[in-house]
Amino acid sequence: MVFGLFKGGDELFEEAKEQINQKDYDKALRTLQKSIEKDPDNALEANLMITFIHLGREWSNPSYYSAMAQRLREKGPGTFEFGLSSFDTQKLAAECECMAECINARSQPSNGPQEDISKGENLIKAAQKLQASVGNEMLQVNYYFNNTSLTGVKLALSLMAEGNELISQAWFWEDPKKAAEYQQMAYNFRRQLGETGEENQQRIKQFTHSCTCWICGRETMGEGLHFYRMSSDISPQQIGESGNSIPEEGDSVYVCRACYSAISRRSDEISRGYYDSALAELHDVEARINMQIAAIETRINAMMLASRR
């Protein structure tokens, strides 16, 4: 439309608002940018709208949350009007700051005990901040763009459960009992979310399970890491005298990690020896067969030459 070329900044700004009402965000972005170029006085509010549109498209990107929070803080106390919705600038800024922290914590690497503990602690810290800042109110960005009713408390509980689970996993190697305590806290948060917490209960049972090693007699705790089950044929007499050295099924024995790994490695060495020996014999047989084939071919060639004479 030719007349659009001569529109002032305020007219373009109002046009952008109407495009936002219609959720035509591509057009709105272009119009908002033009309104800023025509009239820099519109820059603060227009840039705020532009950032909010980008946030709606990249709502899992922490940088957009941080940018939105910064622009809202620049605007100061009051309301931010976007489409047919009105947001309290201070509340929305606090939410965006919390969400940026939560997403950053979730994106941390966790490739070992120290990283697991660091990530877990940061998740818990971010969750506590979210719970204090947003509480039982809905996360506004999530609700506006995804029409999903998720409260700050609900997300915080989920993050606290995740954080405690990570820390638990990190402690399992050094202190299974402490690991179980963190799993118990994670279980409590899962239950508050309405979940069963079944996986947490299984891990608590696994981490606190103790036994006496069938081989060395060492007491140990933490099935699946500090001790294992080994299939075995146990007589009724031995079952009666086994104590806590065998599972209830009676078809295996408990063996501590040290004994289990020693047996496994020695077994691997023996198996490797048999493999190498069998491979050497196979190579010998192959060489003998190749020699016999060569001898037969030589005799055949000699016979063919003799027949031609």
Side-chain angles (χ1 to χ4, degrees), residues 202-215:
Q202 290 174 351
R203 290 193 178 277
I204 292 168
K205 184 178 179 181
Q206 174 191 359
F207 293 175
T208 58
H209 189 190
S210 62
C211 78
T212 302
C213 176
W214 181 271
I215 296 173

Side-chain angles (χ1 to χ4, degrees), residues 250-291:
D251 58 354
S252 56
V253 295
Y254 289 132
V255 180
C256 74
R257 185 185 183 90
C259 292
Y260 183 90
S261 60
I263 293 169
S264 298
R265 290 176 185 179
R266 182 56 185 150
S267 176
D268 289 343
E269 290 173 4
I270 293 170
S271 298
R272 183 69 189 181
Y274 281 124
Y275 172 79
D276 291 342
S277 176
L279 196 60
E281 290 182 12
L282 183 62
H283 287 158
D284 289 342
V285 171
E286 183 182 14
R288 289 196 297 270
I289 291 172
N290 286 335
M291 289 175 63

Side-chain angles (χ1 to χ4, degrees), residues 13-283:
F13 189 56
E14 291 302 318
E15 183 180 331
K17 286 182 180 179
E18 184 58 34
Q19 289 164 348
I20 289 171
N21 289 342
Q22 297 169 7
K23 299 189 183 297
D24 193 345
Y25 297 132
D26 287 326
K27 282 185 180 180
L29 286 171
R30 292 192 294 270
T31 308
L32 286 166
Q33 193 59 52
K34 289 177 183 177
S35 75
I36 295 172
E37 294 168 1
K38 289 275 188 176
D39 186 355
D41 290 341
N42 293 319
L44 180 63
E45 198 75 23
N47 279 322
L48 193 52
M49 292 179 176
I50 289 170
T51 304
F52 197 59
I53 291 171
H54 287 310
L55 174 58
R57 292 175 170 179
E58 297 283 346
W59 55 272
S60 60
N61 188 326
S63 63
Y64 284 111
Y65 278 102
S66 297
M68 188 67 192
Q70 184 178 347
R71 292 197 182 283
L72 286 165
R73 294 297 186 194
E74 290 171 359
K75 179 177 172 62
T79 59
F80 164 53
E81 307 295 332
F82 189 85
L84 303 177
S85 298
S86 179
F87 302 92
D88 182 286
T89 56
Q90 300 304 294
K91 286 185 177 180
L92 186 57
E95 176 187 319
C96 288
E97 289 166 349
C98 288
M99 288 303 298
E101 191 171 332
C102 291
I103 296 168
N104 280 324
R106 259 186 171 162
S107 64
Q108 277 186 236
S110 55
N111 299 315
Q114 292 305 315
E115 287 187 351
D116 286 348
I117 290 174
S118 174
K119 182 174 182 177
E121 289 176 346
N122 286 334
L123 280 168
I124 292 169
K125 181 181 175 182
Q128 290 170 340
K129 184 176 178 180
L130 181 66
Q131 192 169 28
S133 298
V134 181
N136 281 312
E137 293 187 20
M138 283 190 301
L139 295 169
Q140 299 174 87
V141 176
N142 195 52
Y143 181 75
Y144 185 88
F145 288 106
N146 301 304
N147 199 30
T148 304
S149 301
L150 178 65
T151 67
V153 167
K154 190 167 184 179
L155 179 57
L157 289 171
S158 179
L159 293 171
M160 282 193 260
E162 289 177 32
N164 279 284
E165 286 161 357
L166 276 168
I167 298 172
S168 170
Q169 197 62 40
W171 276 107
F172 186 32
W173 176 248
E174 293 186 22
D175 191 340
K177 185 177 179 182
K178 191 171 185 176
E181 291 172 358
Y182 279 103
Q183 282 292 334
Q184 181 62 55
M185 286 188 280
Y187 169 78
N188 294 337
F189 291 125
R190 295 287 180 201
R191 291 297 294 156
Q192 289 181 62
L193 285 165
E195 301 175 12
T196 63
E198 182 179 352
E199 186 173 339
N200 301 114
Q201 288 183 310
Q202 290 174 351
R203 290 193 178 277
I204 292 168
K205 184 178 179 181
Q206 174 191 359
F207 293 175
T208 58
H209 189 190
S210 62
C211 78
T212 302
C213 176
W214 181 271
I215 296 173
C216 70
R218 181 184 287 107
E219 292 284 341
T220 188
M221 177 185 290
E223 185 176 0
L225 183 63
H226 299 288
F227 72 89
Y228 305 91
R229 300 184 184 207
M230 288 188 73
S231 179
S232 181
D233 184 11
I234 311 169
S235 71
Q237 179 190 8
Q238 291 173 318
I239 290 176
E241 299 171 352
S242 64
N244 68 337
S245 300
I246 66 170
E248 293 180 2
E249 297 83 358
D251 58 354
S252 56
V253 295
Y254 289 132
V255 180
C256 74
R257 185 185 183 90
C259 292
Y260 183 90
S261 60
I263 293 169
S264 298
R265 290 176 185 179
R266 182 56 185 150
S267 176
D268 289 343
E269 290 173 4
I270 293 170
S271 298
R272 183 69 189 181
Y274 281 124
Y275 172 79
D276 291 342
S277 176
L279 196 60
E281 290 182 12
L282 183 62
H283 287 158

